[in-house]
Amino acid sequence: MDETLAEFFRRTILKIPMTEMMTVLKTWNFLSENQLQTVNFRQRKESIVQDLVLLCEENRASLNDAAHLDIIYTQFHRHQKIWDVFQMSKGPGDDIDLFDMEQFKSSFKKILQRALKNVTVSFKDAEENSVWIRIAWGTQYKKPNQYKPAYVVYYSQTPYAFTSSSQLKSNLPLLGQALTVASKHHHIVKMDLRSRYLDSLKAIVFKQYNQSFETHNSTTSLQERSLGLDINMNSRIIHENKVEKERVQRVTQEIFGDYPQPRLEFAQYKLETKFKSDLNGGILAEREEPLRCLVKFSSPHLLEALKSLAPAGIADVPLSPLLTCIPNKGKNYFKIRDK
Amino acid sequence: MSALRPLDKLPGLNAATILLVGTEDALLQQLADSMLKEDCTSELNVHLARALPLPCSVNRPRIDLIVFVVNLHSKHSLQNVEESLCHLDAAFFLGKVTFLATGAGRDSHCSVHRNTVVKLAHTYRSPLLFCDLEVEDFRASMAQRLVRLLQICAGHVPGVSALNLLSLLRGSENPSLEDL
């Protein structure tokens, strides 16, 4: 095994936290049970990694195997990357072709390799007919940089693909083109949706977030549920605005539903508008350039925070539709312009 | 819904009722719990309201002390208090109203200036207390203080009345505020 490959193995395995090491290695399934048993997992981490790299050399591991391991690591740590969402569409007169995964993979790889001589493309099939694609970018003259790969998760029965924001933005058009052509679509567009939480993005885009399962608890009325909380409260505390509180709870529930919200970290609103004034003249009225303003909401869990604003008394219901439409419209980047 | 009047009901035997008015329910709830934990010879009742006027209720006992809670982090809570003040009978302002400002500890989060609340309290000639209700120890000591104020306002402390409270508490204010 050449040195650069061995180093890549070493660094990839070193990234894996010790608590997950066995799980990841077992999922990778490249080293056998017997081989894993020969490693002493009580040593210092560097020594364990050293032993594992030697085992990989014994098994004549290739770059492809290393790429697989990298994909598995990323699958376990998908929150470390920020994911964009792309939506593809077919042309108006297209027939619906049967999707062939192998054909997609070979077509995708060919397109990238034709454009850039040096590129490493690896695939891993995942649940729900999806495929994880890892791409290490190179150029005509430089070998691919294995340490800054881009990841694409494509759900084959849908027109949606999720990509990790790669630092090498110049390759994005090529990636889009390869995805579109290989999956037999005509057009690709980037959605205004971005988050670290791939599963939440999936839930929003596939509209899976609003499934609340009928359980015994959900059949009790709102009245009973809120009174259930009161049992713990002191009976000497009296809420004067009970009716109002219940109304707020009801409206919040109507807007946000009973189910856990998908997880987003921010919402960004860009406003561009020309200054409008009732007074004739004035300095700003003659300004041709529109005024620009950016408002960004951040939170560890934005939608849950928005949901709790009204019950906490920090905002009035109903909340602005610009805030509540985020999962419905599948957007967390908004551009507001003059009509 | 008429304005709240201080003396339109008969007092209950050994009962003292406080009304906490503020937008942030969680804070009011915690303060109420802290107050009820205090040892007190009077029977305490705590009413929580988001704003005035209160919904009509025949069963409500006489309210002895009203505390308006303003969160310095939120202009909305200040606005809410200002609007509620209009629905209060003037007689309440003879010692039965107190303002409580919370959130002064986290200066970077404050969107309401300290002086705004000071002026508000001065306009209504009522005492202003500062307390970070989110900190448990501060909340506990404020709860203690409020219980004592409540007992005085309910007339359970011989020799001191609500009106006395006004002059007693004013002494600790900065004399230059009279110029505002």
Side-chain angles (χ1 to χ4, degrees):
Chain A
M1 202 194 285
D2 80 340
E3 257 182 44
T4 44
L5 185 56
E7 180 62 16
F8 180 50
F9 267 108
R10 195 185 73 84
R11 288 210 213 167
T12 310
I13 301 177
L14 202 55
K15 268 197 297 188
I16 307 172
M18 277 317 293
T19 46
E20 296 171 6
M21 187 65 81
M22 282 312 283
T23 328
V24 172
L25 290 176
K26 288 218 172 91
T27 316
W28 187 33
N29 211 19
F30 179 74
L31 301 171
S32 70
E33 267 295 331
N34 294 331
Q35 285 178 308
L36 286 177
Q37 276 175 6
T38 63
V39 178
N40 175 10
F41 281 96
R42 290 207 194 103
Q43 315 168 66
R44 275 174 58 237
K45 193 172 180 188
E46 283 81 4
S47 320
I48 300 176
V49 174
Q50 199 82 304
D51 290 348
L52 288 168
V53 174
L54 285 172
L55 284 177
C56 292
E57 279 193 30
E58 263 179 42
N59 282 18
R60 291 189 225 277
S62 64
L63 183 58
N64 213 21
D65 299 311
H68 261 174
L69 182 59
D70 204 12
I71 294 181
I72 293 173
Y73 172 80
T74 310
Q75 284 178 322
F76 272 75
H77 292 263
R78 47 188 81 179
H79 306 323
Q80 284 177 359
K81 303 212 174 287
I82 300 183
W83 300 89
D84 288 312
V85 189
F86 285 85
Q87 185 177 15
M88 296 182 278
S89 50
K90 291 198 198 269
D94 274 351
D95 293 329
I96 301 182
D97 292 320
L98 284 177
F99 183 80
D100 184 341
M101 183 60 89
E102 295 311 311
Q103 195 208 12
F104 166 78
K105 289 181 190 173
S106 74
S107 175
F108 184 82
K109 198 163 182 172
K110 269 202 203 102
I111 296 172
L112 287 182
Q113 282 173 337
R114 238 179 276 154
L116 300 169
K117 203 162 57 133
N118 288 309
V119 65
T120 316
V121 185
S122 326
F123 301 93
K124 186 172 190 304
D125 290 335
E127 77 289 330
E128 289 175 33
N129 289 316
S130 66
V131 58
W132 280 64
I133 313 173
R134 176 183 180 279
I135 305 139
W137 304 100
T139 67
Q140 301 282 15
Y141 310 105
K142 276 197 292 179
K143 294 203 97 180
N145 182 351
Q146 299 296 340
Y147 297 99
K148 291 199 180 144
Y151 292 91
V152 179
V153 184
Y154 173 52
Y155 282 80
S156 59
Q157 307 291 6
T158 75
Y160 294 103
F162 304 90
T163 64
S164 70
S165 307
S166 175
Q167 282 125 317
L168 303 163
K169 287 201 179 8
S170 53
N171 290 313
L172 206 54
L174 177 59
L175 179 58
Q177 192 188 27
L179 258 177
T180 320
V181 175
S183 61
K184 302 213 184 103
H185 287 92
H186 261 158
H187 192 51
I188 187 168
V189 77
K190 185 169 177 204
M191 290 175 70
D192 289 323
L193 185 59
R194 183 182 300 163
S195 169
R196 278 186 193 278
Y197 300 101
L198 190 56
D199 299 321
S200 294
L201 288 176
K202 232 181 70 178
I204 292 175
V205 153
F206 299 147
K207 307 251 181 262
Q208 288 168 341
Y209 56 89
N210 51 7
Q211 290 162 355
S212 56
F213 298 100
E214 277 294 308
T215 63
H216 173 70
N217 287 332
S218 64
T219 55
T220 58
S221 70
L222 177 63
Q223 190 82 299
E224 289 172 29
R225 249 178 287 147
S226 60
L227 282 179
L229 296 169
D230 292 5
I231 291 173
N232 293 330
M233 279 165 27
N234 215 308
S235 55
R236 287 182 290 167
I237 301 176
I238 296 167
H239 287 260
E240 292 286 341
N241 301 106
K242 226 190 204 118
V243 174
E244 176 65 19
K245 271 177 66 160
E246 278 166 15
R247 185 189 79 92
V248 166
Q249 286 280 41
R250 195 175 31 90
V251 176
T252 307
Q253 196 194 23
E254 274 167 27
I255 299 175
F256 289 94
D258 248 343
Y259 40 84
Q261 302 289 314
R263 193 168 175 182
L264 296 171
E265 313 90 69
F266 48 81
Q268 187 174 293
Y269 299 84
K270 258 193 191 151
L271 171 67
E272 214 176 88
T273 176
K274 283 197 76 173
F275 185 78
K276 291 189 185 78
S277 165
D278 289 333
L279 313 161
N280 287 329
I283 305 172
L284 287 174
E286 283 153 17
R287 197 187 146 97
E288 273 306 311
E289 271 273 299
L291 292 168
R292 293 192 181 88
C293 163
L294 182 87
V295 177
K296 186 171 177 180
F297 294 88
S298 331
S299 164
H301 197 321
L302 183 72
L303 294 176
E304 284 293 335
L306 291 176
K307 184 175 175 181
S308 53
L309 277 181
I314 301 174
D316 284 327
V317 280
L319 286 178
S320 160
L322 280 173
L323 291 171
T324 54
C325 71
I326 293 173
N328 270 332
K329 284 204 175 153
K331 280 175 101 158
N332 60 355
Y333 279 76
F334 293 85
K335 279 203 179 74
I336 308 167
R337 290 207 175 89
D338 289 335
K339 287 215 174 84
Chain B
M1 266 170 246
S2 54
L4 264 184
R5 285 178 218 287
L7 297 171
D8 61 347
K9 291 189 181 170
L10 291 174
L13 191 61
N14 205 33
T17 306
I18 184 172
L19 173 66
L20 300 175
V21 180
T23 47
E24 282 172 49
D25 200 49
L27 284 180
L28 298 186
Q29 182 74 47
Q30 285 176 319
L31 183 57
D33 285 331
S34 302
M35 283 183 73
L36 289 171
K37 283 200 195 116
E38 293 295 319
D39 271 331
C40 178
T41 50
S42 325
E43 244 184 64
L44 294 182
N45 283 312
V46 184
H47 285 234
L48 305 179
R50 203 179 154 274
L52 297 177
L54 297 179
C56 277
S57 167
V58 197
N59 292 326
R60 190 184 303 125
R62 184 185 78 168
I63 294 183
D64 298 307
L65 174 63
I66 302 184
V67 180
F68 287 99
V69 180
V70 177
N71 189 346
L72 292 178
H73 300 178
S74 154
K75 287 203 174 103
H76 177 64
S77 80
L78 177 66
Q79 213 175 11
N80 180 57
V81 163
E82 284 172 342
E83 283 164 14
S84 301
L85 283 166
C86 308
H87 298 274
L88 215 46
D89 188 64
F92 254 112
F93 294 100
L94 295 170
K96 297 201 175 193
V97 170
T98 305
F99 292 91
L100 176 59
T102 178
R106 286 199 288 173
D107 198 43
S108 54
H109 284 82
C110 286
S111 53
V112 175
H113 199 284
R114 204 175 170 276
N115 270 345
T116 316
V117 207
V118 169
K119 266 200 212 155
L120 180 67
H122 184 74
T123 312
Y124 286 93
R125 298 294 190 271
S126 297
L128 171 62
L129 304 168
F130 283 93
C131 173
D132 263 325
L133 290 177
E134 289 171 28
V135 180
E136 205 184 315
D137 293 334
F138 297 165
R139 188 170 69 230
S141 51
M142 177 53 65
Q144 240 175 13
R145 207 171 169 189
L146 285 177
V147 168
R148 286 303 286 162
L149 288 179
L150 176 59
Q151 282 187 297
I152 293 172
C153 290
H156 295 181
V157 178
V160 194
S161 75
L163 213 46
N164 291 144
L165 258 186
L166 270 187
S167 30
L168 285 172
L169 288 175
R170 188 170 297 156
S172 59
E173 273 174 40
N174 200 328
S176 65
L177 280 173
E178 296 297 308
D179 303 317
L180 278 173

